Amino acid sequence: MVDLRSQYLSIKTEIDHGIQEVIDSCAFINGPAVKSFQEDLEKYLQCKHVIPCANGTDALQVSMMALDLKPGDEIISVSFTFIATVEVISLLGLTPVFVDVDPGTFNLDITKLEQAITSKTKAIVPVHLFGQCAPMEEIMKIAKKHNLYVIEDAAQAIGADYYFSDGTTKKAGTIGHIGCTSFFPSKNLGCYGDGGAIFTNDDVLAKELRIIVNHGMAIRYYHDRIGVNSRLDSIQAAILKVKLQHLDEYASKRNQAAAYYDKAFSGNPKLKVPTRFSRSNHVFHQYTLLAKDIDRKGLVDWLASREVPAMIYYPVPLHLQKTFKDTRYKAGDFPVTEALSESVFSLPMHTELDDEQLEHITTSVLEFVNR
Ligand SMILES: *Cc1c(COP(=O)(O)O)cnc(C)c1O
Protein backbone atom coordinates (compact mmCIF):
# COMPACT_ATOMS: atom_id res chain seq x y z
CA MET A 1 0.00 0.00 0.00
CA VAL A 2 2.97 2.28 0.62
CA ASP A 3 6.59 2.29 -0.52
CA LEU A 4 8.53 3.78 2.35
CA ARG A 5 11.87 2.38 1.20
CA SER A 6 11.93 4.16 -2.18
CA GLN A 7 10.80 7.37 -0.55
CA TYR A 8 13.60 7.09 2.03
CA LEU A 9 16.20 6.48 -0.68
CA SER A 10 15.12 9.66 -2.46
CA ILE A 11 15.89 11.78 0.65
CA LYS A 12 18.50 9.53 2.27
CA THR A 13 21.30 12.10 2.54
CA GLU A 14 19.13 14.66 4.34
CA ILE A 15 17.51 12.07 6.62
CA ASP A 16 20.77 10.35 7.56
CA HIS A 17 22.33 13.71 8.33
CA GLY A 18 19.40 14.68 10.56
CA ILE A 19 19.50 11.40 12.48
CA GLN A 20 23.29 11.52 12.90
CA GLU A 21 23.09 15.05 14.23
CA VAL A 22 20.73 13.94 16.99
CA ILE A 23 22.94 10.99 17.88
CA ASP A 24 26.02 13.22 17.98
CA SER A 25 24.22 15.64 20.28
CA CYS A 26 22.78 12.84 22.47
CA ALA A 27 19.78 15.14 23.07
CA PHE A 28 17.36 12.27 22.49
CA ILE A 29 14.43 13.63 24.47
CA ASN A 30 13.13 17.19 24.09
CA GLY A 31 16.26 18.13 22.15
CA PRO A 32 16.59 21.13 19.84
CA ALA A 33 15.39 18.99 16.89
CA VAL A 34 11.92 18.79 18.47
CA LYS A 35 11.64 22.55 18.95
CA SER A 36 12.94 23.18 15.46
CA PHE A 37 10.40 20.83 13.83
CA GLN A 38 7.64 22.29 16.01
CA GLU A 39 8.45 25.79 14.74
CA ASP A 40 8.58 24.66 11.11
CA LEU A 41 5.21 22.99 11.46
CA GLU A 42 3.70 26.07 13.14
CA LYS A 43 4.87 28.11 10.18
CA TYR A 44 3.64 25.60 7.60
CA LEU A 45 0.22 25.31 9.21
CA GLN A 46 0.00 29.03 10.07
CA CYS A 47 -0.92 27.87 13.54
CA LYS A 48 0.15 29.53 16.77
CA HIS A 49 0.92 26.41 18.80
CA VAL A 50 2.06 22.93 17.81
CA ILE A 51 2.49 20.54 20.73
CA PRO A 52 4.40 17.43 19.62
CA CYS A 53 3.47 14.15 21.34
CA ALA A 54 4.03 10.42 21.11
CA ASN A 55 1.34 9.41 18.60
CA GLY A 56 -1.98 10.46 17.11
CA THR A 57 -4.04 8.54 19.63
CA ASP A 58 -2.33 10.41 22.48
CA ALA A 59 -2.96 13.68 20.64
CA LEU A 60 -6.68 12.95 20.73
CA GLN A 61 -6.62 11.77 24.35
CA VAL A 62 -4.62 14.74 25.61
CA SER A 63 -6.92 17.12 23.73
CA MET A 64 -9.95 15.68 25.47
CA MET A 65 -8.16 15.76 28.84
CA ALA A 66 -7.51 19.48 28.34
CA LEU A 67 -11.23 20.24 28.14
CA ASP A 68 -11.93 19.17 31.77
CA LEU A 69 -14.89 17.01 30.90
CA LYS A 70 -16.83 14.86 33.36
CA PRO A 71 -17.63 11.15 32.97
CA GLY A 72 -20.85 10.82 31.04
CA ASP A 73 -20.30 13.94 28.98
CA GLU A 74 -21.05 13.22 25.33
CA ILE A 75 -18.64 13.61 22.44
CA ILE A 76 -19.99 13.45 18.92
CA SER A 77 -17.98 11.74 16.19
CA VAL A 78 -18.44 9.30 13.34
CA SER A 79 -18.57 5.52 13.27
CA PHE A 80 -16.76 5.37 9.92
CA THR A 81 -13.21 6.01 11.14
CA PHE A 82 -10.22 4.31 12.72
CA ILE A 83 -10.85 3.14 16.29
CA ALA A 84 -8.38 5.65 17.79
CA THR A 85 -10.80 8.55 17.26
CA VAL A 86 -13.42 7.02 19.52
CA GLU A 87 -11.32 4.75 21.71
CA VAL A 88 -10.02 7.69 23.71
CA ILE A 89 -13.55 9.02 24.30
CA SER A 90 -14.46 5.76 26.02
CA LEU A 91 -11.11 5.49 27.76
CA LEU A 92 -11.74 8.82 29.50
CA GLY A 93 -15.18 7.69 30.67
CA LEU A 94 -16.91 9.96 28.20
CA THR A 95 -19.77 8.79 26.00
CA PRO A 96 -19.27 8.52 22.25
CA VAL A 97 -22.25 9.61 20.17
CA PHE A 98 -22.16 8.77 16.49
CA VAL A 99 -23.57 10.49 13.45
CA ASP A 100 -23.74 9.03 9.96
CA VAL A 101 -21.46 10.12 7.14
CA ASP A 102 -22.01 11.55 3.69
CA PRO A 103 -22.05 8.79 1.06
CA GLY A 104 -19.88 10.81 -1.34
CA THR A 105 -17.12 12.29 0.82
CA PHE A 106 -17.27 9.65 3.62
CA ASN A 107 -17.10 12.52 6.13
CA LEU A 108 -19.56 13.61 8.83
CA ASP A 109 -23.00 14.28 7.37
CA ILE A 110 -23.66 17.86 8.42
CA THR A 111 -27.44 17.41 8.08
CA LYS A 112 -27.33 14.79 10.87
CA LEU A 113 -25.18 16.70 13.33
CA GLU A 114 -27.59 18.96 15.14
CA GLN A 115 -30.07 16.21 16.00
CA ALA A 116 -27.30 14.32 17.85
CA ILE A 117 -26.64 17.21 20.24
CA THR A 118 -28.09 16.89 23.77
CA SER A 119 -27.64 18.81 27.02
CA LYS A 120 -24.67 16.51 27.79
CA THR A 121 -22.81 17.15 24.54
CA LYS A 122 -19.48 18.88 25.12
CA ALA A 123 -17.49 18.42 21.93
CA ILE A 124 -17.52 17.35 18.30
CA VAL A 125 -14.66 15.35 16.80
CA PRO A 126 -14.85 15.56 13.01
CA VAL A 127 -12.50 13.25 11.11
CA HIS A 128 -10.93 14.37 7.83
CA LEU A 129 -11.09 10.88 6.41
CA PHE A 130 -8.77 9.66 3.66
CA GLY A 131 -7.29 13.14 3.12
CA GLN A 132 -10.04 15.67 2.61
CA CYS A 133 -11.73 17.90 5.13
CA ALA A 134 -15.05 17.40 6.88
CA PRO A 135 -17.49 20.33 6.41
CA MET A 136 -15.71 22.49 8.99
CA GLU A 137 -17.40 25.82 8.32
CA GLU A 138 -20.83 24.39 9.11
CA ILE A 139 -19.47 22.32 12.00
CA MET A 140 -17.94 25.43 13.59
CA LYS A 141 -21.19 27.32 13.16
CA ILE A 142 -23.21 24.60 14.88
CA ALA A 143 -20.55 24.22 17.61
CA LYS A 144 -20.66 27.93 18.33
CA LYS A 145 -24.44 27.95 18.51
CA HIS A 146 -24.43 25.11 21.08
CA ASN A 147 -21.24 26.20 22.88
CA LEU A 148 -19.28 23.05 22.00
CA TYR A 149 -15.59 22.39 21.50
CA VAL A 150 -14.35 21.06 18.18
CA ILE A 151 -11.34 18.72 18.08
CA GLU A 152 -10.33 17.86 14.52
CA ASP A 153 -8.90 14.42 13.82
CA ALA A 154 -6.51 15.40 11.03
CA ALA A 155 -4.42 12.21 11.24
CA GLN A 156 -5.13 11.46 7.57
CA ALA A 157 -5.24 14.99 6.21
CA ILE A 158 -2.17 16.94 7.26
CA GLY A 159 -1.50 19.61 4.64
CA ALA A 160 -5.05 19.66 3.24
CA ASP A 161 -6.62 23.09 2.76
CA TYR A 162 -10.14 24.13 3.72
CA TYR A 163 -11.76 26.85 1.60
CA PHE A 164 -14.17 29.06 3.54
CA SER A 165 -17.10 30.77 1.86
CA ASP A 166 -15.49 34.20 2.47
CA GLY A 167 -12.51 33.18 0.34
CA THR A 168 -10.07 32.47 3.18
CA THR A 169 -8.18 29.20 3.49
CA LYS A 170 -7.01 27.26 6.53
CA LYS A 171 -5.07 24.05 6.95
CA ALA A 172 -6.82 20.92 8.21
CA GLY A 173 -6.43 20.71 11.96
CA THR A 174 -6.19 24.47 12.53
CA ILE A 175 -9.88 25.33 12.22
CA GLY A 176 -11.37 23.82 15.39
CA HIS A 177 -10.33 24.66 18.95
CA ILE A 178 -7.80 21.84 18.79
CA GLY A 179 -6.45 19.71 15.93
CA CYS A 180 -4.69 16.35 16.15
CA THR A 181 -2.43 14.49 13.79
CA SER A 182 -0.36 11.32 13.60
CA PHE A 183 3.11 10.79 12.19
CA PHE A 184 2.69 7.00 11.93
CA PRO A 185 5.03 5.87 9.12
CA SER A 186 2.30 5.38 6.51
CA LYS A 187 0.59 8.71 7.18
CA ASN A 188 1.12 11.56 4.68
CA LEU A 189 3.76 13.05 6.98
CA GLY A 190 5.17 9.89 8.52
CA CYS A 191 8.23 9.40 10.72
CA TYR A 192 10.20 6.21 11.26
CA GLY A 193 8.39 5.11 14.38
CA ASP A 194 5.51 6.64 16.30
CA GLY A 195 4.77 10.33 16.56
CA GLY A 196 1.93 12.81 16.76
CA ALA A 197 1.08 16.45 17.35
CA ILE A 198 -1.65 18.70 18.67
CA PHE A 199 -2.45 22.09 17.11
CA THR A 200 -4.22 25.08 18.63
CA ASN A 201 -4.44 28.83 18.22
CA ASP A 202 -5.70 29.23 21.80
CA ASP A 203 -2.97 30.29 24.28
CA VAL A 204 -4.78 28.95 27.34
CA LEU A 205 -5.45 25.54 25.79
CA ALA A 206 -1.86 25.38 24.49
CA LYS A 207 -0.51 25.88 28.00
CA GLU A 208 -2.77 23.16 29.38
CA LEU A 209 -1.91 20.73 26.55
CA ARG A 210 1.82 21.23 27.19
CA ILE A 211 1.32 20.54 30.88
CA ILE A 212 -0.70 17.38 30.23
CA VAL A 213 1.81 15.79 27.81
CA ASN A 214 4.50 16.37 30.47
CA HIS A 215 3.12 14.58 33.57
CA GLY A 216 0.88 17.50 34.49
CA MET A 217 3.79 19.77 35.30
CA ALA A 218 4.69 23.27 34.18
CA ILE A 219 7.59 23.49 36.63
CA ARG A 220 9.71 20.38 37.05
CA TYR A 221 8.48 18.09 39.85
CA TYR A 222 5.49 20.33 40.64
CA HIS A 223 2.43 18.47 39.37
CA ASP A 224 -0.66 20.62 38.91
CA ARG A 225 -2.87 17.86 37.55
CA ILE A 226 -2.77 14.28 36.31
CA GLY A 227 -1.11 14.13 32.95
CA VAL A 228 0.63 11.58 30.78
CA ASN A 229 4.09 11.00 29.35
CA SER A 230 3.70 11.70 25.67
CA ARG A 231 6.73 12.97 23.77
CA LEU A 232 7.96 13.06 20.20
CA ASP A 233 11.55 11.86 20.35
CA SER A 234 14.32 13.93 18.80
CA ILE A 235 15.28 11.43 16.09
CA GLN A 236 11.69 11.33 14.83
CA ALA A 237 11.55 15.13 14.91
CA ALA A 238 14.72 15.36 12.82
CA ILE A 239 13.18 13.00 10.25
CA LEU A 240 9.92 14.95 10.21
CA LYS A 241 11.73 18.25 9.74
CA VAL A 242 13.18 16.89 6.50
CA LYS A 243 9.94 15.31 5.31
CA LEU A 244 7.86 18.41 6.07
CA GLN A 245 9.83 20.24 3.38
CA HIS A 246 8.59 17.64 0.89
CA LEU A 247 5.00 17.42 2.10
CA ASP A 248 3.39 19.55 -0.60
CA GLU A 249 5.36 17.79 -3.33
CA TYR A 250 4.24 14.44 -1.82
CA ALA A 251 0.62 15.59 -1.90
CA SER A 252 0.94 16.47 -5.56
CA LYS A 253 2.42 13.04 -6.33
CA ARG A 254 -0.51 11.43 -4.54
CA ASN A 255 -2.86 13.59 -6.59
CA GLN A 256 -1.15 12.48 -9.81
CA ALA A 257 -1.72 8.84 -8.89
CA ALA A 258 -5.35 9.65 -7.98
CA ALA A 259 -5.85 11.33 -11.36
CA TYR A 260 -4.51 8.20 -13.09
CA TYR A 261 -6.93 6.02 -11.14
CA ASP A 262 -9.81 8.41 -11.83
CA LYS A 263 -9.15 8.30 -15.55
CA ALA A 264 -9.09 4.50 -15.59
CA PHE A 265 -12.20 4.00 -13.46
CA SER A 266 -14.52 6.98 -14.05
CA GLY A 267 -17.69 6.02 -15.80
CA ASN A 268 -17.31 2.33 -15.05
CA PRO A 269 -20.76 1.29 -13.78
CA LYS A 270 -19.26 -1.13 -11.25
CA LEU A 271 -16.90 1.36 -9.63
CA LYS A 272 -17.37 4.73 -7.98
CA VAL A 273 -14.30 6.94 -7.81
CA PRO A 274 -13.81 9.17 -4.75
CA THR A 275 -16.02 12.26 -4.64
CA ARG A 276 -14.11 15.52 -4.17
CA PHE A 277 -15.51 17.89 -1.57
CA SER A 278 -15.88 21.40 -3.02
CA ARG A 279 -14.62 23.10 0.16
CA SER A 280 -11.35 21.19 0.48
CA ASN A 281 -8.54 19.89 -1.62
CA HIS A 282 -7.61 16.24 -1.26
CA VAL A 283 -4.24 14.99 -0.06
CA PHE A 284 -5.17 11.35 -0.74
CA HIS A 285 -4.06 9.54 2.33
CA GLN A 286 -6.13 6.80 0.71
CA TYR A 287 -7.68 6.38 -2.71
CA THR A 288 -10.94 4.66 -1.84
CA LEU A 289 -13.44 3.34 -4.37
CA LEU A 290 -16.87 1.80 -3.97
CA ALA A 291 -17.45 -1.63 -5.51
CA LYS A 292 -20.96 -1.80 -6.94
CA ASP A 293 -22.51 -5.19 -7.78
CA ILE A 294 -19.16 -6.94 -7.75
CA ASP A 295 -17.74 -9.43 -5.30
CA ARG A 296 -15.42 -7.20 -3.27
CA LYS A 297 -13.62 -10.04 -1.55
CA GLY A 298 -13.14 -11.75 -4.92
CA LEU A 299 -11.64 -8.54 -6.27
CA VAL A 300 -9.25 -8.11 -3.33
CA ASP A 301 -8.14 -11.77 -3.63
CA TRP A 302 -7.70 -11.40 -7.39
CA LEU A 303 -5.58 -8.29 -6.88
CA ALA A 304 -3.48 -10.09 -4.26
CA SER A 305 -2.83 -12.87 -6.79
CA ARG A 306 -1.48 -10.19 -9.14
CA GLU A 307 0.66 -8.75 -6.33
CA VAL A 308 -1.51 -5.67 -5.97
CA PRO A 309 -2.31 -4.97 -2.33
CA ALA A 310 -5.81 -3.64 -1.69
CA MET A 311 -7.21 -2.85 1.73
CA ILE A 312 -10.62 -2.30 3.25
CA TYR A 313 -10.80 0.80 5.43
CA TYR A 314 -12.89 0.02 7.41
CA PRO A 315 -14.64 -3.35 7.29
CA VAL A 316 -16.68 -2.97 10.51
CA PRO A 317 -18.18 0.37 11.59
CA LEU A 318 -17.26 1.30 15.14
CA HIS A 319 -20.84 1.09 16.44
CA LEU A 320 -20.91 -2.59 15.42
CA GLN A 321 -17.54 -3.48 16.96
CA LYS A 322 -17.57 -5.98 19.81
CA THR A 323 -16.11 -3.43 22.22
CA PHE A 324 -19.07 -1.08 21.65
CA LYS A 325 -21.73 -3.79 21.75
CA ASP A 326 -23.18 -2.56 25.04
CA THR A 327 -23.66 1.01 23.87
CA ARG A 328 -26.95 2.34 22.63
CA TYR A 329 -26.31 1.35 19.02
CA LYS A 330 -27.38 -1.54 16.82
CA ALA A 331 -27.14 -2.59 13.17
CA GLY A 332 -29.21 -0.32 10.97
CA ASP A 333 -28.57 2.85 13.00
CA PHE A 334 -26.14 4.35 10.47
CA PRO A 335 -27.16 3.05 7.05
CA VAL A 336 -24.61 5.02 5.01
CA THR A 337 -21.70 4.00 7.26
CA GLU A 338 -22.82 0.37 7.18
CA ALA A 339 -23.24 0.35 3.38
CA LEU A 340 -19.81 1.94 2.92
CA SER A 341 -18.17 -0.66 5.15
CA GLU A 342 -19.52 -3.31 2.82
CA SER A 343 -18.41 -1.74 -0.45
CA VAL A 344 -15.26 0.36 0.01
CA PHE A 345 -11.79 -0.73 -1.01
CA SER A 346 -8.53 1.21 -1.22
CA LEU A 347 -5.76 0.86 -3.77
CA PRO A 348 -2.04 1.47 -3.25
CA MET A 349 -1.47 5.18 -2.65
CA HIS A 350 1.92 6.73 -1.98
CA THR A 351 4.53 9.07 -3.34
CA GLU A 352 6.51 6.58 -5.42
CA LEU A 353 3.88 5.12 -7.76
CA ASP A 354 5.11 5.23 -11.36
CA ASP A 355 3.07 4.83 -14.55
CA GLU A 356 4.10 1.21 -14.96
CA GLN A 357 2.79 0.31 -11.51
CA LEU A 358 -0.37 2.35 -12.00
CA GLU A 359 -0.96 0.65 -15.35
CA HIS A 360 -0.59 -2.79 -13.73
CA ILE A 361 -2.90 -1.88 -10.85
CA THR A 362 -5.63 -0.36 -13.03
CA THR A 363 -5.62 -3.12 -15.67
CA SER A 364 -5.74 -5.73 -12.89
CA VAL A 365 -8.78 -4.05 -11.33
CA LEU A 366 -10.52 -3.67 -14.69
CA GLU A 367 -9.85 -7.27 -15.73
CA PHE A 368 -11.80 -8.45 -12.70
CA VAL A 369 -14.50 -5.81 -12.86
CA ASN A 370 -15.21 -6.15 -16.58
CA ARG A 371 -15.27 -9.91 -16.84
C1 LIG B 1 -3.75 6.91 12.36
C2 LIG B 1 -4.96 7.51 12.91
C3 LIG B 1 -5.07 7.86 14.26
C4 LIG B 1 -4.08 7.47 15.32
O1 LIG B 1 -2.77 7.71 15.10
P1 LIG B 1 -1.60 6.87 15.81
O2 LIG B 1 -0.40 7.70 15.60
O3 LIG B 1 -1.52 5.56 15.10
O4 LIG B 1 -1.96 6.72 17.23
C5 LIG B 1 -6.21 8.53 14.68
N1 LIG B 1 -7.20 8.80 13.84
C6 LIG B 1 -7.16 8.45 12.53
C7 LIG B 1 -8.29 8.82 11.65
C8 LIG B 1 -6.05 7.79 12.04
O5 LIG B 1 -6.02 7.44 10.74
Side-chain angles (χ1 to χ4, degrees):
M1 293 297 286
V2 294
D3 182 357
L4 297 174
R5 163 154 282 271
S6 304
Q7 191 194 60
Y8 164 61
L9 293 176
S10 74
I11 49 174
K12 185 177 187 311
T13 318
E14 301 160 82
I15 294 279
D16 291 0
H17 176 77
I19 293 174
Q20 192 60 50
E21 219 170 47
V22 174
I23 297 174
D24 289 341
S25 75
C26 288
F28 297 117
I29 300 290
N30 286 334
V34 178
K35 188 90 202 290
S36 171
F37 166 64
Q38 173 196 316
E39 286 167 1
D40 287 1
L41 190 55
E42 284 164 352
K43 215 172 290 161
Y44 174 83
L45 294 170
Q46 297 279 300
C47 180
K48 215 165 159 195
H49 306 282
V50 166
I51 297 102
C53 64
N55 56 65
T57 310
D58 274 7
L60 288 157
Q61 180 185 326
V62 168
S63 299
M64 288 175 205
M65 288 172 75
L67 302 183
D68 277 327
L69 307 175
K70 301 180 303 299
D73 283 349
E74 294 177 359
I75 312 282
I76 296 176
S77 193
V78 289
S79 177
F80 195 59
T81 178
F82 180 54
I83 181 75
T85 317
V86 175
E87 191 174 34
V88 293
I89 300 175
S90 298
L91 189 69
L92 294 174
L94 308 166
T95 303
V97 172
F98 296 117
V99 293
D100 214 345
V101 293
D102 178 89
T105 62
F106 312 144
N107 278 324
L108 186 146
D109 181 347
I110 195 68
T111 67
K112 306 274 166 62
L113 177 57
E114 216 158 3
Q115 67 208 48
I117 296 172
T118 73
S119 58
K120 289 187 180 168
T121 308
K122 293 290 159 57
I124 306 165
V125 184
V127 181
H128 305 313
L129 201 71
F130 302 149
Q132 68 183 346
C133 296
M136 288 306 296
E137 186 160 2
E138 289 82 356
I139 290 170
M140 293 310 291
K141 223 174 268 168
I142 292 171
K144 190 163 182 199
K145 182 172 149 196
H146 296 272
N147 199 23
L148 306 175
Y149 285 107
V150 175
I151 301 172
E152 297 171 73
D153 183 344
Q156 301 189 0
I158 192 160
D161 289 316
Y162 191 91
Y163 312 123
F164 286 85
S165 50
D166 67 0
T168 57
T169 298
K170 280 186 188 170
K171 289 281 182 202
T174 69
I175 304 161
H177 303 89
I178 306 179
C180 298
T181 205
S182 163
F183 303 126
F184 185 80
S186 65
K187 298 284 155 89
N188 288 37
L189 180 59
C191 58
Y192 295 171
D194 272 311
I198 310 167
F199 319 140
T200 186
N201 284 304
D202 182 317
D203 297 340
V204 178
L205 280 175
K207 192 167 166 230
E208 196 64 17
L209 291 162
R210 280 188 209 290
I211 288 174
I212 296 170
V213 296
N214 190 27
H215 298 294
M217 65 185 183
I219 302 164
R220 197 165 226 185
Y221 306 127
Y222 290 80
H223 305 277
D224 304 335
R225 57 165 296 160
I226 292 297
V228 294
N229 169 19
S230 189
R231 296 182 285 238
L232 180 70
D233 77 64
S234 305
I235 287 183
Q236 301 306 337
I239 292 162
L240 289 164
K241 185 179 169 73
V242 172
K243 288 186 71 175
L244 178 60
Q245 294 164 24
H246 297 275
L247 185 60
D248 287 344
E249 162 205 331
Y250 288 162
S252 89
K253 285 189 177 164
R254 288 171 176 273
N255 269 278
Q256 282 166 27
Y260 194 108
Y261 286 147
D262 274 355
K263 195 156 167 252
F265 304 136
S266 292
N268 191 304
K270 305 237 168 113
L271 296 170
K272 183 166 170 288
V273 302
T275 304
R276 309 309 200 269
F277 177 42
S278 60
R279 292 264 165 235
S280 168
N281 63 357
H282 206 316
V283 294
F284 284 102
H285 176 59
Q286 298 297 343
Y287 185 90
T288 302
L289 294 137
L290 298 189
K292 300 192 283 184
D293 306 319
I294 48 172
D295 166 19
R296 181 178 63 171
K297 177 159 190 317
L299 170 64
V300 171
D301 292 346
W302 159 254
L303 290 173
S305 76
R306 308 225 24 187
E307 286 175 24
V308 174
M311 294 289 287
I312 291 161
Y313 305 117
Y314 296 93
V316 181
L318 296 185
H319 70 283
L320 301 181
Q321 296 283 353
K322 193 169 161 193
T323 185
F324 291 121
K325 73 179 187 316
D326 295 332
T327 58
R328 63 182 88 174
Y329 300 110
K330 58 182 187 317
D333 285 348
F334 304 106
V336 176
T337 293
E338 291 168 32
L340 289 175
S341 289
E342 279 167 21
S343 60
V344 286
F345 68 100
S346 301
L347 292 175
M349 175 49 78
H350 54 84
T351 57
E352 313 302 313
L353 285 162
D354 59 29
D355 281 1
E356 199 182 317
Q357 291 168 313
L358 290 165
E359 164 76 18
H360 175 68
I361 296 164
T362 51
T363 50
S364 300
V365 171
L366 291 171
E367 265 171 55
F368 183 89
V369 166
N370 293 335
R371 74 187 179 194

